[in-house]
Amino acid sequence: MAGNREEAPDYGRGVVIMDDWPGYDLSLFTYPQHYYGDLAYVLIPHGIIVDRIERLAKDIMKDIGYCDIMVLCVLKGGYKFCADLVEHLKNISRNSDGYVSMKVDFIRLKSYRNDQSMDEMQIIGGDDLSTLAGKNILIVEDVVGTGRTMKALLSSIEKYKPNMIKVASLLVKRTPRSDGFRPDYAGFEIPNLFVVGYALDYNEYFRDLNHICVINEHGKEKYRV
């Protein structure tokens, strides 16, 4: 069973960023000039993201062992996290006695309009999910918020009877709308903020931002659709 709705494993909560965390001043970092004035602060610097993902890869390999893995990347926001995570998993495999065969497939979900989570998830593209039957699946997601999007995806996959499903999410939001779902592996637990950067977008903008930042009201209005 993917995730844990009651008690998460020790590493399931990730690095916890508290609600009163002020973040880092933007002037301490470099970021694209075209976003000047659109951001409030840096929540998680790029270097910390990279280090945390390396640790996640070690936790995943320790947990699931050296078995063949089908990585299912949730586009678009998860692509950078997925690429970095898979690279670390491959490095661990290359430098160990065991060998892990990893294949990567992609699915795109639509659950946000502007900065609001929509009630229903839209699945866009992706191959026939029946090919996941009997496989060891690692779903790689950018953000788990309410948990409804991931639960809907898991429901779609579980009916094809994969051998195992695990969920890794870079971020988990603390939100009052959460249904209690938690991924098996989490990078960071963050306040209920709309964040951008490291491939997380706001209406397709900010994917080219390396740090994870909080967008300000000016930025939301500027790029609203």
Side-chain angles (χ1 to χ4, degrees):
M1 186 66 177
N4 191 324
R5 292 169 176 79
E6 295 180 357
E7 185 176 349
D10 291 343
Y11 42 72
R13 196 175 182 191
V15 177
V16 179
I17 299 176
M18 304 306 292
D19 290 345
D20 59 355
W21 168 242
Y24 299 92
D25 193 287
L26 290 160
S27 65
L28 298 174
F29 301 91
T30 59
Y31 62 100
Q33 187 172 349
H34 49 269
Y35 295 137
Y36 284 12
D38 301 330
L39 301 168
Y41 55 88
V42 175
L43 184 68
I44 312 172
H46 180 253
I48 296 177
I49 299 169
V50 172
D51 284 356
R52 178 65 186 136
I53 293 173
E54 182 177 6
R55 179 67 215 195
L56 277 179
K58 292 179 180 179
D59 289 341
I60 290 169
M61 292 297 283
K62 181 179 179 181
D63 186 36
I64 67 177
Y66 290 87
C67 60
D68 293 347
I69 303 172
M70 170 61 76
V71 178
L72 187 61
C73 175
V74 179
L75 297 174
K76 294 182 182 177
Y79 79 85
K80 191 166 180 58
F81 173 43
C82 183
D84 289 347
L85 180 63
V86 167
E87 186 59 32
H88 284 303
L89 290 170
K90 287 181 177 179
N91 285 338
I92 294 172
S93 176
R94 281 193 292 263
N95 293 295
S96 67
D97 295 332
Y99 172 74
V100 177
S101 172
M102 272 176 285
K103 297 181 180 179
V104 181
D105 202 353
F106 302 91
I107 190 167
R108 185 180 175 191
L109 311 176
K110 184 73 172 178
S111 60
Y112 277 90
R113 180 176 291 113
N114 294 319
D115 60 342
Q116 299 300 313
S117 178
M118 298 188 296
D119 289 336
E120 296 184 1
M121 177 192 70
Q122 299 173 333
I123 301 178
I124 304 171
D127 293 333
D128 184 359
L129 294 180
S130 65
T131 60
L132 302 179
K135 303 287 181 64
N136 299 309
I137 312 299
L138 175 65
I139 300 174
V140 180
E141 170 71 293
D142 55 354
V143 182
V144 169
T146 65
R148 289 195 296 268
T149 299
M150 185 53 62
K151 284 176 66 177
L153 177 58
L154 288 171
S155 178
S156 297
I157 294 174
E158 286 170 349
K159 64 184 179 182
Y160 295 107
K161 301 186 186 314
N163 181 58
M164 175 192 75
I165 310 178
K166 297 286 188 177
V167 178
S169 183
L170 179 61
L171 304 176
V172 176
K173 285 188 182 182
R174 290 189 301 276
T175 169
R177 299 179 63 195
S178 172
D179 63 3
F181 175 84
R182 281 193 171 274
D184 300 281
Y185 315 100
F188 303 87
E189 180 183 291
I190 66 171
N192 189 25
L193 301 166
F194 195 88
V195 293
V196 294
Y198 196 72
L200 283 77
D201 77 303
Y202 177 76
N203 294 328
E204 300 300 327
Y205 293 93
F206 299 100
R207 293 195 193 276
D208 55 339
L209 179 65
N210 283 334
H211 314 294
I212 292 178
C213 299
V214 176
I215 186 173
N216 62 22
E217 292 304 317
H218 176 269
K220 289 179 183 180
E221 188 59 35
K222 181 178 177 181
Y223 298 110
R224 190 176 300 275
V225 296

